[in-house]
Structure formats: structure tokens, C-alpha cells
């Protein structure tokens, strides 16, 4: 092959394996098994995945998943639930929490990369989160390091679980596609703006009940965790009583009021077993069930 043929083969136009349109070297991505995906089709995918790791069939399934995510945002998330954004004024990016739906999304002040679909994350998909700061060494002795960015790093269940303690994290479910760590940059030029990531971390702590076992200095009652465990124990006992009655007298012997109470008791048991995460799982499940 001559030099001209080499450049034509390497850098010439290719056909998108999904839509069939031609795409140049600057407007395509090589996917697994050597196929190419044009930027138009790539915009239908999550910005947090690596297309090079997916086959064409996997990308087709992923795009259907993203279409449902976009629909969930438009039909449910954008219309229901109280939202809380950290920081309230975006410099680069931030995290918007919706406890009422058990979901959050990452918002950008402006975004020009791949991925244009709205994407939501469930609380019960989060395996870990931590603040980060990127700094370059000081150029001269006595000077401060140069701040280059800071925010929050999030790992979802199903990705790289190295160095993640899962002992106290129950009731989680893996994300179907995202394996890489998500880096949410709150600011690139101001460390003070980046420190708002601490507020986002504290909200994740609240969701995961990190401080539920603690009590105030003059608080002599039960902690939030102890109350949840007690409710779970009571719920377990009452559940056994209802089930025993159904086994003895038949399912028809259980009244609608008892069935409602049974569901409440089962929820209390799940809440105790998951450190409260089951509350958000039910809310997210109910939100997803609203899609037509």
C-alpha cells in the first residue's frame, strides 16, 4: 500500500455502524471489534462510558437505556420532587439531589463533549464518594501550590471496587453501564468554589446514614439508627404474626388493613437491613414505574 492509500485507509471517511452515515476522523469513535460510531449516535450515549469497550449490540442496548433515562427526566424528574443543587450557582459543574425520588443528576454550566441525553442516577447505585483537589507543586519555595480543580469523585456499584469498604453498604444495585469513576469538577480556578463539594458530600452522608448512630451531648433518647432497628424488629415480629394467620386461616382471612400494615412492616424490616437506603430504593422504583 502506498502512502496515499495508507492515509486514505487510516484517516478517510468511515461508515457509522449504527446509522450508516459517513463520518470523518474528527467526528467518529472506534468501538469494540473495529466498528465506528458517528458523533451523532455517540450523543445518544452516556458521557460517562467508554464507547471503545462496547460492541455494537451493547451500544444499541445502551441507547435504549438512555432514551428511557431521558424520558424519566422529562416525564417524572423534571416535574416532581424537591431539588437541592450543590453549589446553588454553578461555576463548572454540580450535583442536584432529589431525595423525594431517590435520584440525582450532574449539572454543568456549559457542556460541549459527547452525550446530550438527560441522565439520572439512583442513590442505591452509589458505592463511594469523596472530595478531591488537583494541585500542581509550588513553582518556588514559599509559594502556594497552583490550584487546578476540585470537586467530588463518585464510584457506582459495578465498576472498580478496589479500596471501597462495602461492609456497611447494603441494598445497593449495580449500574448497568458505567464502570469508570465519575469526576464532578465544581471549580477549575477557585479553591473556595470547589469547597462546595463538601456540602454535596455531607448530603451523601445524610442519604447513607453515616451519622445515624450518633447522638447529641445531652440527647438521652435513641439514635436514628436505634429507632430504625427497633422499628425493624417490631415489623419482623408483626410480619410473622400476619403470615402465621394467613397460613392457618387462609389468605382471604387477611383484611385490607392488615395487608397495608404488613407492607409497612416489611418496609420497616428492609429499612433496618439497609441502613435506610430501602426508603430511597422504593422512591426510585415508584418514579421509574410512572413511565408510560
Amino acid at each position: 500500500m502506498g502512502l496515499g492509500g495508507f492515509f486514505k485507509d487510516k484517516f478517510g471517511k468511515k461508515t457509522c455502524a449504527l446509522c450508516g452515515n459517513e463520518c470523518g476522523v474528527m467526528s467518529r469513535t472506534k468501538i469494540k471489534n473495529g466498528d465506528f460510531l458517528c458523533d451523532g449516535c455517540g450523543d445518544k450515549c452516556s458521557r460517562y462510558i467508554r464507547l471503545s469497550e462496547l460492541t455494537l449490540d451493547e451500544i444499541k442496548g445502551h441507547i435504549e437505556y438512555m432514551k428511557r433515562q431521558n424520558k424519566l427526566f422529562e416525564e417524572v424528574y423534571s416535574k416532581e420532587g424537591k431539588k437541592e443543587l450543590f453549589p446553588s450557582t454553578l461555576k463548572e459543574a454540580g450535583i442536584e439531589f432529589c431525595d423525594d425520588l431517590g435520584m440525582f443528576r450532574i449539572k454543568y454550566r456549559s457542556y460541549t463533549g459527547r452525550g446530550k441525553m438527560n441522565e439520572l442516577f439512583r442513590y442505591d447505585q452509589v458505592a463511594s464518594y469523596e472530595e478531591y483537589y488537583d494541585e500542581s507543586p509550588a513553582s518556588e519555595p514559599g509559594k502556594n501550590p497552583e490550584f487546578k480543580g476540585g470537586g467530588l469523585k463518585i464510584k457506582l456499584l459495578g465498576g472498580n471496587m478496589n479500596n471501597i469498604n462495602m461492609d456497611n453498604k447494603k441494598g445497593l444495585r449495580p449500574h448497568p453501564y458505567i464502570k469508570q469513576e465519575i469526576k464532578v469538577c465544581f471549580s477549575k480556578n477557585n479553591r473556595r468554589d470547589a469547597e462546595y463539594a463538601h456540602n454535596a458530600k455531607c448530603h451523601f452522608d445524610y442519604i447513607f446514614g453515616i451519622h445515624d448512630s450518633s447522638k447529641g451531648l445531652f440527647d438521652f433518647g435513641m439514635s436514628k439508627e436505634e429507632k430504625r432497628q427497633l422499628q425493624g424488629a417490631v415489623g419482623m415480629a408483626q410480619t410473622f404474626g400476619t403470615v402465621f394467620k394467613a397460613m392457618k386461616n387462609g389468605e382471604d382471612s387477611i383484611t385490607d388493613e392488615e395487608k397495608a400494615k404488613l407492607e409497612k412492616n416489611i418496609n420497616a424490616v428492609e429499612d433496618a437491613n439497609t441502613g435506610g437506603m430501602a426508603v430511597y430504593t422504593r422512591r426510585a422504583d415508584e418514579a421509574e414505574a410512572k413511565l408510560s
Side-chain angles (χ1 to χ4, degrees):
M1 180 187 297
L3 188 60
F6 169 80
F7 278 101
K8 184 177 180 180
D9 180 69
K10 182 99 176 151
F11 301 108
K13 289 187 176 181
K14 302 288 185 181
T15 300
C16 175
L18 190 60
C19 69
N21 291 334
E22 286 191 338
C23 45
V25 66
M26 300 301 293
S27 60
R28 69 185 185 223
T29 302
K30 193 173 185 179
I31 62 176
K32 200 170 182 178
N33 300 335
D35 289 326
F36 290 90
L37 199 71
C38 72
D39 285 355
C41 292
D43 279 339
K44 299 176 184 178
C45 301
S46 169
R47 64 193 63 169
Y48 306 110
I49 66 170
R50 293 176 182 167
L51 292 175
S52 59
E53 297 178 350
L54 300 180
T55 65
L56 180 59
D57 285 342
E58 288 171 333
I59 287 174
K60 288 179 180 178
H62 171 66
I63 289 177
E64 290 304 312
Y65 170 82
M66 289 301 296
K67 287 179 180 178
R68 183 173 175 83
Q69 285 277 293
N70 196 66
K71 189 176 182 181
L72 179 63
F73 172 83
E74 292 179 345
E75 294 186 4
V76 183
Y77 185 91
S78 64
K79 299 177 181 179
E80 299 181 18
K82 180 182 177 182
K83 316 295 193 304
E84 192 167 7
L85 177 64
F86 299 100
S88 57
T89 302
L90 298 179
K91 302 298 182 180
E92 295 290 336
I95 301 176
E96 181 184 76
F97 295 91
C98 184
D99 294 355
D100 293 338
L101 301 178
M103 298 178 180
F104 70 94
R105 67 170 174 146
I106 301 169
K107 294 187 67 174
Y108 294 85
R109 184 179 180 183
S110 62
Y111 187 82
T112 57
R114 188 198 75 228
K116 301 296 188 292
M117 305 279 271
N118 291 300
E119 185 169 10
L120 302 171
F121 303 94
R122 295 169 58 113
Y123 290 174
D124 58 11
Q125 292 174 333
V126 176
S128 73
Y129 49 90
E130 62 176 331
E131 298 171 65
Y132 80 89
Y133 294 97
D134 287 338
E135 296 177 325
S136 61
S139 57
E140 297 178 12
K143 288 192 174 182
N144 293 325
E146 180 186 357
F147 177 77
K148 302 176 71 175
L152 204 68
K153 294 189 292 188
I154 301 171
K155 287 186 178 181
L156 305 180
L157 189 65
N160 184 355
M161 295 293 102
N162 291 339
N163 302 320
I164 296 179
N165 183 3
M166 299 296 294
D167 291 344
N168 297 321
K169 295 178 181 178
K170 300 176 181 179
L172 302 186
R173 59 178 66 183
H175 192 281
Y177 290 101
I178 297 175
K179 309 301 179 186
Q180 287 75 38
E181 179 180 76
I182 298 175
K183 202 171 185 179
V184 186
C185 179
F186 279 44
S187 179
K188 291 182 178 179
N189 52 31
N190 191 317
R191 186 182 182 94
R192 181 172 295 179
D193 290 333
E195 289 174 353
Y196 283 108
H198 180 71
N199 296 337
K201 177 184 177 297
C202 288
H203 196 80
F204 270 123
D205 287 346
Y206 169 79
I207 291 166
F208 281 90
I210 299 301
H211 305 295
D212 284 358
S213 60
S214 61
K215 294 188 290 186
L217 182 62
F218 299 103
D219 186 356
F220 301 104
M222 290 188 293
S223 67
K224 187 175 181 179
E225 182 182 44
E226 289 170 336
K227 291 178 182 177
R228 188 166 53 229
Q229 293 295 331
L230 176 60
Q231 291 170 351
V234 172
M236 178 70 76
Q238 292 181 348
T239 296
F240 280 135
T242 304
V243 171
F244 179 77
K245 178 181 176 181
M247 293 175 61
K248 182 179 179 182
N249 302 324
E251 186 176 343
D252 293 339
S253 65
I254 306 299
T255 65
D256 290 340
E257 182 179 352
E258 287 175 321
K259 289 179 181 178
K261 192 171 183 179
L262 175 62
E263 181 178 0
K264 182 178 179 181
N265 288 331
I266 292 174
N267 289 342
V269 174
E270 290 179 345
D271 295 345
N273 290 337
T274 62
M277 179 52 62
V279 173
Y280 299 111
T281 293
R282 291 193 296 272
R283 292 175 183 176
D285 287 344
E286 289 168 2
E288 292 181 349
K290 292 179 181 179
L291 288 185
S292 56

